[in-house]
Amino acid sequence: MHKLFSTISIFLLALSTTTLNVEAQLPGNYPPLDTPPPPVASWTALVDQTKLPKAPVRPPGTPCPPTDEFCVWSCTTCTRPDTDFSFCPNKGDWALTYDDGPTNNTLKVLDALNARGLKGTFFAIGSRVVESPQILKQVVDAGHQVGVHTWSHTALTSQTTEEIIAEVKWTEMAIKQAVGLTPKWFRAPQGDADDRVRGILKQLGYKMAFWNHDTFDWESNSDPTYDLNWIPANFTIWVQNTTATTGFASLEHDAFNKSSSMAETAMDIVLKANFKPQSVGVCTGDKQPYVENVTLLPSNIKAQNSVSTGTGTGTGTGTGTSSTAGQNSTSTKISASQPSVISKSGASPVERNLLLGVVCGLIMMILGFVGTV
């Protein structure tokens, strides 16, 4: 009997220390993942559509107009100073931003930031929040900023006003349920926004976040010719801009395995060049980054000899263009694929449910056997 209970104890201890810890999805009646969610009348009513600019809906594949009448960022990197962020205003500041999570790869980025005492901004997809709410909670608990990145990662200028509102509000609701906070910062997928999109987001209480340094790291998920060394090579070029009178903002993704592994090296290049990485909220001096009364703390940079530093050895010229502060990246590339969703343990939802069933079955068998002894 003593041996039996010892075996049971060892088995239960193993369960608590392995990847068998199953991550539950966010409870609630949410729309299907990764597809444009249904409009909700009460949310649609929050926007006075008579006050929106008359920018036309642009179906996917629509060529950019010869004249950019409605400031389409994905066509001309046009920005509006009263609503748009694309770089930190203060020289020496650097906004580290990460899109498309939360996924298990977010944890790599999170560990690297925390080890260096840095704070970043994570723009979350609603569908991913439903899949991995606990990962988003780890992000918030560590003092990083969270923003909205739509529900389905659809190009917004291709959607109706009702659809755009639904993309924002469903994601907002999921984030609120997962971490208890309502973001006031938003990033459009692929940077695809025009004055109509800006008008919608402004009425919903959001500020628009773009960037001025793009790693194009999402290409590593689908393009076998993408060289990961381009990421540190580009950062190495960008930090050499000593004539800029403002700071910078870089775009990376925490959704992809390969590119997430390079985030640590990028951080070290920025730090070695004596820049101060911050969240978007901190570098802009935003005292109200959430609807709730929450103050974001600045980075508390740790000595570099106390962390494992990466070295960027790539010599490629990179797929992103180096740009001076106050200018946006000139790319109009649009991601055509989305990452598969896996949990912190690396298991898909189906695998997690199957694994949970097996584990519960084993426990019931053991307990049943004990009852007969």
Side-chain angles (χ1 to χ4, degrees), residues 54-76 154-161 163-164 189-197 332 334:
K54 304 302 181 183
V57 174
R58 300 173 59 248
T62 300
C64 292
T67 302
D68 190 7
E69 180 183 356
F70 295 104
C71 194
V72 185
W73 193 95
S74 49
C75 285
T76 62
T154 299
L156 294 183
T157 64
S158 71
Q159 293 185 302
T160 66
T161 294
E163 289 171 334
I164 294 172
Q190 310 145 10
D192 186 50
D194 58 16
D195 286 338
R196 178 175 65 98
V197 175
T332 58
I334 293 179

Side-chain angles (χ1 to χ4, degrees), residues 213-254:
H213 286 317
D214 192 351
T215 62
F216 297 98
D217 58 350
W218 55 267
E219 291 181 339
S220 66
N221 189 52
S222 57
D223 184 356
T225 67
Y226 185 88
D227 186 348
L228 288 175
N229 283 326
W230 286 336
I231 298 174
N234 270 329
F235 272 93
T236 300
I237 293 171
W238 296 334
V239 298
Q240 293 174 15
N241 182 357
T242 59
T243 62
T245 58
T246 62
F248 303 98
S250 56
L251 169 62
E252 298 175 83
H253 293 77
D254 57 320

Side-chain angles (χ1 to χ4, degrees), residues 257-273:
N257 180 47
K258 292 180 181 179
S259 62
S260 293
S261 67
M262 300 303 294
E264 179 178 17
T265 300
M267 295 173 202
D268 289 334
I269 293 172
V270 172
L271 285 171
K272 188 176 180 181

